Amino acid sequence: MSPSRLAVLAMVLTLGVASITSAASTVLRVEGGQVGSALRARAINAAGERWEATASIPVERELSIPLDVSAGWRLTVESDGFWAATVEVQESPTRVRLWPAAEYELRLVPPRATAAPKEMTIRFSRAESATGSAGDQPEEAEMACNPGATGHARCVGPSGRWDLRVKSPGYAASYLWDRRATAGEKLDLGRVFLVPGVSVLGRVVTEEGPADPGSARVRARPRAQHDVGGPGAPAGLEKKASDVGLNPWGYFLYDALPAGAYELVATQEGFEEASVTVELRAGQDVELRDPIVLVRPLHLDVRIRPAVDSDGASWTVVLRAERPEGWTDVARGAANEEGAWRSPALPPGRYWTSVQSREGNKMASAQLDLQRGAEAHALDLDLLEVVGTLKLGESELAGDLWFGGRHGAVRVHARADGEGEFALVLPRPGSWKVDVHSDTEKVRATGVEVEVERPAPGKAAEIEISLPDTELRGTVRDSKGTPVEGARIALVSVSTVAGATFVESDVLGGYAIRGQAEGSYSIEANKGRATSQRRPVQLDEELSPTEVDLVLEEGKQLDGIVLAGGAPAGGAWVLGMPLTAAGSLAAGILEPARTDMTGAFTLELPGSAASVRLIAGMPGFTLSVSRVELTDLGATAELSLDQAGGHLELGRHGPGPTADGRIGLVLVDGEPVDLALLDFWSRSQDPNPSTDALLVVGGMPAGAYSYCLLELQEAMLVMGGSAYPKAQACTSGTLVPNGTLRLPLP
């Protein structure tokens, strides 16, 4: 009888704890260990069946074992002086590797008056200082090593040179670095002090190599969402943040941080700070997959042509950086006589550069990505003098004009005198949108389209801006009929994308807006929690003045909680879009709320709101899109964030409306979401894989999607919930959990 047959017979004779119901068998391939040595095997399957056997390792190193690969068996083998990891029996042959073993001893020390945990796992990672070939020890291994009542544990594991991770349920992981365990000997790891909570482990390197453990530091800064969510972070988080250093191998460790979103900021002298965002959840330690990389500072070199403005004055360059709290000014300075300007030291990243004249006009603006080898940028201006006349109807108008819009990235101001005449220098010819204000005549015109043609050499371009003599006026009152002073009135075009016009009611509650283009609008008013219904308005010069009175109603309050993975989500942001029962927007998007440490939030809503569309998010989790019905007494909402989201890829048509005036919306299970919000959500993720041609949005919930390009009026109806887009205006698909859905331009 062959040795292998004897091995099988030995295993059958020692069959133990439970019988095997299946007659199927699997070949076990044993690697490592010594031929002829005793081999002890035990297994358990998904049904709770158990199996044990002993045998000798045969020369062929193959044994037949009565375990079915389809029954979910987990197999552990042992041999004197050797250790093997538990394996899943999923194929034949199933391979087991025996490694030279060492004994490990340690004592867990829990907090005072706390019993020692009953469970513990040790993870082995090959230390960087380990020498020899890869076959001398596994790259990684993990084993259970449960301690006794006093916290003392003694277990057999693989020998080698290790970085060890010790973990017990309810406590932050502990790390023991560069420990050498010699085969056949005992390694005393000493006492391991347990800290309740979770840990964050990461590594810091520089672009030139390892970071300096003596000067590099890492700070956990509570994450304040930029653009959405407002300033600040959940109360209590900032008190927990502190600096930590690096160990000799460049690793840093935080333990006992409370749940929430954090920005981990690494610094070292001579390098720009670098950061990553992490989300801590109760009971789950975090290990950063990639190191935080510190780089040498860069300098942005800007060259402006022409080198000076039309009066011979130097240009001013203003530089803004994209930070977690939003776009922030980081540098400002005057260009030299050659139009050149160099920034102070900067980290790589996304910046916004603007060129300003002596009067403060923003003549050029550009977003750029600063990287090594891409530090030089040129900004060319095509300056031309412009003279013009401003009229309201047939009469000359004195007032202020902003070419590019009062709040545009490029904007040039001019003042028309009593004869309506004005002059200015523009950075280019072509199409401009102009805002016009005249306090004396109550003119508030937004987005007036003006075409400026290039003049003959040595001449100034001549233009005339004639505003229609439309007038919208009315009174704002409260629910008792009392005039309300200081109410904020918003007039929004629903036939163009000109933007909103805002005015305030006077001491008698009155308001007036003149000079707006003819067309369809909506108007609403608010003061504090009180809001009016959104009213439709049609402006026509021949029918002016148009009178619309607005009544403020006391608002409603929505209280809610955001849960992330079933635990309260501190620091999440929540956007609310209130909707009327008639299927229209009750008001514009409200100020976003941020959850506190308990995950709670409150939204103030207009009294006319019958429901509210809620969008919530937090780094590391899937965006939540839902709708909540309201009552006169308000409502409560529970929003759940998970980590089963996927990636949505949308074909881009460029910023703003398309050439024919259509705008983009995405419907998530029927609920519309604005593209600007999805762009923000994409930019908040690191890394951001979006390109000029493709908007890539991670962390999107699984479900049915439609990507639509709609006329503005149709988009307003869809946003209000009273209409659904036509199929031909959309591309559609289904996003599966952890999947990717690409939708081209409709």
Side-chain angles (χ1 to χ4, degrees):
M1 187 176 290
S2 69
S4 60
R5 292 288 298 238
L6 288 172
V8 172
L9 179 62
M11 299 186 88
V12 172
L13 291 175
T14 55
L15 185 60
V17 180
S19 63
I20 305 301
T21 58
S22 172
S25 64
T26 301
V27 173
L28 175 65
R29 174 70 181 177
V30 182
E31 300 175 354
Q34 296 179 353
V35 172
S37 297
L39 188 72
R40 297 174 294 278
R42 62 180 186 275
I44 184 171
N45 67 10
E49 294 180 306
R50 296 175 182 272
W51 173 82
E52 293 184 3
T54 61
S56 297
I57 300 176
V59 174
E60 296 92 338
R61 292 188 173 274
E62 288 189 351
L63 302 164
S64 179
I65 56 177
L67 302 180
D68 188 346
V69 295
S70 64
W73 288 98
R74 289 176 55 83
L75 173 67
T76 302
V77 299
E78 299 172 349
S79 183
D80 291 344
F82 293 89
W83 174 90
T86 298
V87 296
E88 304 279 349
V89 181
Q90 297 178 333
E91 60 182 357
S92 182
T94 292
R95 299 178 184 276
V96 173
R97 175 62 186 266
L98 293 171
W99 300 94
E103 186 177 14
Y104 294 85
E105 186 173 6
L106 60 84
R107 182 187 170 200
L108 297 180
V109 182
R112 187 182 300 272
T114 303
K118 298 180 180 179
E119 299 177 20
M120 178 185 69
T121 58
I122 301 178
R123 190 188 68 195
F124 302 78
S125 298
R126 184 184 179 94
E128 292 188 9
S129 60
T131 59
S133 66
D136 293 340
Q137 65 179 84
E139 289 296 318
E140 284 197 346
E142 186 171 300
M143 69 176 185
C145 183
N146 297 331
T150 62
H152 183 264
R154 180 181 293 174
C155 300
V156 173
S159 62
R161 196 149 195 161
W162 303 108
D163 295 331
L164 302 173
R165 176 183 182 267
V166 179
K167 175 67 176 176
S168 288
Y171 295 96
S174 300
Y175 294 85
L176 307 173
W177 301 95
D178 199 28
R179 303 302 176 95
R180 182 175 182 178
T182 303
E185 298 183 7
K186 182 178 75 173
L187 174 62
D188 189 349
L189 298 174
R191 295 185 297 176
V192 176
F193 292 89
L194 300 178
V195 179
V198 297
S199 65
V200 181
L201 177 73
R203 191 180 189 187
V204 179
V205 299
T206 74
E207 62 180 346
E208 300 164 358
D212 177 16
S215 64
R217 305 289 295 176
V218 177
R219 180 173 179 80
R221 187 162 61 195
R223 177 73 186 266
Q225 295 289 336
H226 60 86
D227 297 338
V228 175
L237 285 185
E238 67 280 355
K239 298 179 181 178
K240 301 292 185 179
S242 60
D243 288 351
V244 296
L246 308 183
N247 69 12
W249 301 274
Y251 287 91
F252 64 89
L253 176 66
Y254 270 101
D255 56 26
L257 283 175
Y262 292 85
E263 185 184 16
L264 301 179
V265 184
T267 59
Q268 180 177 316
E269 184 177 353
F271 293 85
E272 289 295 324
E273 70 176 34
S275 65
V276 296
T277 298
V278 297
E279 171 63 31
L280 298 189
R281 299 171 58 188
Q284 294 189 6
D285 297 297
V286 173
E287 293 185 0
L288 301 184
R289 181 182 61 183
D290 300 317
I292 302 176
V293 182
L294 299 171
V295 300
R296 295 288 184 186
L298 304 176
H299 294 274
L300 175 66
D301 290 309
V302 177
R303 183 170 291 276
I304 308 161
R305 293 187 292 259
V308 294
D309 67 16
S310 56
D311 294 326
S314 298
W315 300 110
T316 297
V317 180
V318 178
L319 195 64
R320 309 188 78 201
E322 191 175 28
R323 298 285 188 254
E325 63 273 14
W327 287 96
T328 305
D329 286 356
V330 293
R332 174 189 291 263
N336 62 21
E337 64 276 5
E338 297 178 349
W341 177 80
R342 165 168 272 211
S343 74
L346 298 169
R350 186 180 298 178
Y351 292 88
W352 196 277
T353 306
S354 64
V355 176
Q356 299 183 7
S357 67
R358 180 169 53 186
E359 296 82 10
N361 291 317
K362 293 188 175 181
M363 305 297 284
S365 184
Q367 185 172 299
L368 53 92
D369 193 21
L370 179 61
Q371 301 294 340
R372 194 167 305 283
E375 295 110 316
H377 294 269
L379 295 173
D380 293 326
L381 308 178
D382 188 6
L383 301 180
L384 70 157
E385 295 183 7
V386 179
V387 295
T389 304
L390 177 64
K391 291 184 176 182
L392 178 64
E394 298 299 324
S395 303
E396 287 76 16
L397 176 66
D400 293 286
L401 305 92
W402 289 271
F403 284 71
R406 190 175 184 183
H407 303 289
V410 175
R411 57 181 181 267
V412 184
H413 174 260
R415 173 72 184 172
D417 60 20
E419 302 298 322
E421 296 180 351
F422 62 89
L424 73 163
V425 175
L426 290 177
R428 61 167 178 81
S431 299
W432 289 86
K433 289 189 179 296
V434 182
D435 292 351
V436 181
H437 287 194
S438 175
D439 292 334
T440 57
E441 298 298 329
K442 306 291 186 183
V443 170
R444 290 292 187 273
T446 303
V448 179
E449 295 186 358
V450 176
E451 189 71 25
V452 180
E453 297 182 357
R454 181 182 300 282
K459 300 290 185 179
E462 297 182 4
I463 60 175
E464 180 179 283
I465 300 176
S466 295
L467 305 178
D469 194 8
T470 58
E471 182 177 3
L472 173 63
R473 65 190 184 191
T475 303
V476 181
R477 294 183 171 88
D478 62 20
S479 58
K480 297 179 181 179
T482 304
V484 177
E485 178 185 5
R488 186 173 184 256
I489 298 102
L491 181 68
V492 180
S493 173
V494 296
S495 54
T496 69
V497 288
T501 299
F502 299 96
V503 296
E504 286 193 358
S505 59
D506 59 26
V507 67
L508 299 178
Y511 72 91
I513 302 173
R514 298 181 66 189
Q516 286 285 343
E518 295 179 320
S520 300
Y521 293 81
S522 68
I523 189 170
E524 62 183 295
N526 73 282
K527 185 174 183 180
R529 287 188 57 186
T531 61
S532 74
Q533 292 191 17
R534 179 173 286 188
R535 301 276 303 276
V537 178
Q538 189 71 31
L539 293 184
D540 189 318
E541 188 172 10
E542 294 184 0
L543 301 178
S544 288
T546 301
E547 296 194 6
V548 177
D549 293 335
L550 301 168
V551 179
L552 300 183
E553 303 173 353
E554 283 302 315
K556 298 175 180 178
Q557 180 173 294
L558 174 69
D559 296 317
I561 185 172
V562 178
L563 302 176
W573 53 262
V574 182
L575 289 176
M577 182 175 290
L579 309 171
T580 67
S584 63
L585 297 173
I589 294 178
L590 305 177
E591 285 295 321
R594 181 189 297 282
T595 59
D596 61 19
M597 286 294 295
T598 67
F601 69 91
T602 298
L603 286 175
E604 302 293 343
L605 305 172
S608 59
S611 63
V612 59
R613 183 176 299 123
L614 296 174
I615 303 176
M618 187 167 68
F621 290 88
T622 299
L623 200 70
S624 169
V625 182
S626 60
R627 189 189 297 198
V628 173
E629 301 297 324
L630 304 175
T631 67
D632 290 339
L633 298 178
T636 58
E638 181 177 299
L639 309 179
S640 295
L641 310 179
D642 59 41
Q643 293 180 307
H647 282 77
L648 181 65
E649 299 180 348
L650 303 174
R652 289 188 190 265
H653 63 76
T658 61
D660 58 4
R662 293 180 299 163
I663 62 174
L665 283 181
V666 173
L667 277 68
V668 183
D669 284 334
E671 293 293 338
V673 180
D674 185 73
L675 279 182
L677 177 62
L678 294 182
D679 184 61
F680 156 76
W681 184 237
S682 172
R683 288 187 291 108
S684 70
Q685 298 162 9
D686 187 20
N688 177 12
S690 294
T691 66
D692 291 340
L694 200 65
L695 174 62
V696 181
V697 191
M700 295 299 293
Y705 282 78
S706 294
Y707 179 26
C708 309
L709 286 179
L710 307 174
E711 300 290 344
L712 180 60
Q713 291 187 2
E714 184 182 4
M716 296 290 288
L717 294 175
V718 172
M719 291 295 287
S722 61
Y724 199 81
K726 299 178 177 133
Q728 58 266 32
C730 308
T731 56
S732 301
T734 300
L735 178 63
V736 300
N738 302 308
T740 297
L741 172 64
R742 175 171 291 192
L743 296 178
L745 277 170

